[in-house]
């Protein structure tokens, strides 16, 4: 009963609405409300601020939710551990990825599923880097694929996967399309479609533009890498995209992709999991897959190149 009460409280904290929390837990709203009320009685402390509608958790409730998330995660990890001992790893692996890296996720999920045929995978490929870390801490995902940086907290451990590089994607009719490379200064003068400023991938681009002494003025911004390709296809826009997406889409007909130089910047991308012990069985299994899978050899080159540049 305690686990169920904690699940309901965590769901309420996440959904911030009694009806939605009940729906997420597949119970009626009165059943969820009554279970949380009984938990308050057992702990002898109010957990929810109640009014005519949900008004949030009390300070005590916020602290209990953090403990509840850890307790439920440890319970799930124990169940997965026992299941793995009996029949092999089973259950669902939850991966969150920044959009710029989501094209590389399949290079991990393929070998993972081959090694663990009873497991399934759920990938969310449109998360911001900060959201990935938040969801990891709240046990909402098992692993994240995102940018690695020195400021990454000691609460996380990472496995480097590859170095992200950048290409200018433009229409073949553009004058730059006949050059072997493109500079950041060249790109800044084009009608650009770029990722939105809230995304880490865009912040990386802005840092490189600033290093080159220029500042882009994109006419269109989006949170989708696929949308960048779609805009360039119209012939009206150019874009700067991670080179890894050329391994997904290739260079579409009518477009040209040129490596960005002056400077030729690379940014590390890796697998991130929580550093807490015990590590979940799913996170540990994916980490082992990542360490055994050479993504760099595949991804750190442009399609058609003989090898890494």
């Amino acid at each position: 009963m305690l686990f169920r009460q904690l699940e309901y409280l965590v769901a309420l904290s996440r959904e911030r609405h009694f009806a939605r929390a009940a729906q997420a837990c597949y119970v009626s709203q009165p059943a969820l409300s009554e279970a949380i009320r009984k938990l308050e009685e057992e702990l002898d402390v109010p957990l929810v601020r109640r009014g005519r509608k949900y008004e949030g958790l009390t300070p005590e409730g916020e602290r209990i939710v953090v403990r509840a998330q850890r307790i439920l995660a440890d319970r799930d990890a124990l169940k997965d551990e026992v299941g793995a001992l009996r029949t092999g790893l089973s259950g669902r692996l939850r991966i969150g990825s920044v959009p710029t890296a989501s094209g590389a996720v399949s290079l991990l999920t393929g070998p993972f599923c081959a090694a663990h045929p009873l497991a399934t995978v759920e990938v969310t490929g449109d998360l911001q880097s900060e959201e990935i870390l938040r969801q990891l801490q709240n046990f909402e995902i098992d692993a994240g694929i995102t940018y690695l940086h020195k400021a990454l907290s000691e609460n996380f451990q990472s496995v480097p996967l590859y170095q992200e590089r950048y290409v200018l994607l433009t229409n073949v009719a553009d004058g730059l399309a006949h050059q072997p490379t493109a500079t950041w200064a060249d790109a800044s003068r084009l009608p650009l479609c770029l990722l939105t400023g809230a995304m880490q991938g865009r912040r990386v681009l802005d840092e490189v533009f600033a290093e080159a002494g220029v500042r882009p003025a994109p006419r269109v911004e989006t949170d989708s890498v696929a949308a960048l390709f779609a805009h360039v296809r119209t012939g009206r826009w150019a874009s700067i995209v991670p080179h890894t997406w050329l391994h997904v889409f290739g260079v579409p007909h009518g477009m040209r992709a040129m490596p960005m130089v002056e400077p030729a910047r690379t940014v590390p991308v890796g697998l991130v999991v929580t550093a807490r012990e015990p590590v979940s069985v799913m996170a540990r299994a994916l980490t082992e897959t990542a360490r055994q899978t050479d993504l760099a050899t595949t991804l750190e080159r442009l399609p058609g190149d003989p090898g890494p540049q």
Side-chain angles (χ1 to χ4, degrees), residues 188-228:
S188 69
R189 293 188 286 269
L190 298 176
L192 289 173
C193 173
L194 298 178
L195 296 173
T196 62
M199 302 178 69
Q200 181 67 25
R202 169 62 185 281
R203 294 198 291 270
V204 170
L205 298 186
D206 286 344
E207 289 174 3
V208 186
F209 273 120
E211 184 178 339
V214 294
R215 184 175 182 178
R219 296 285 303 279
V220 180
E221 295 181 311
T222 176
D223 63 355
S224 165
V225 176
L228 297 179

Side-chain angles (χ1 to χ4, degrees), residues 136-137 139 142 153-158 272-280 283:
L136 282 171
Q137 288 184 309
F139 311 101
D142 301 295
S153 164
E154 62 182 12
N155 295 326
F156 304 97
Q157 57 183 350
S158 61
V272 179
V273 298
T274 59
R276 74 182 187 93
E277 292 292 343
V279 177
S280 76

Side-chain angles (χ1 to χ4, degrees), residues 167-177 186-195 217-222 225-241 253-258:
V167 296
L168 177 67
L169 191 66
T170 187
N171 188 273
V172 292
D174 189 281
L176 286 176
D186 289 336
S188 69
R189 293 188 286 269
L190 298 176
L192 289 173
C193 173
L194 298 178
L195 296 173
R219 296 285 303 279
V220 180
E221 295 181 311
T222 176
V225 176
L228 297 179
F229 277 78
H231 277 77
V232 176
R233 179 179 286 278
T234 68
R236 299 187 60 183
W237 316 101
S239 187
I240 299 172
V241 300
H253 179 72
M255 299 186 200
R256 177 78 194 284
M258 293 158 287

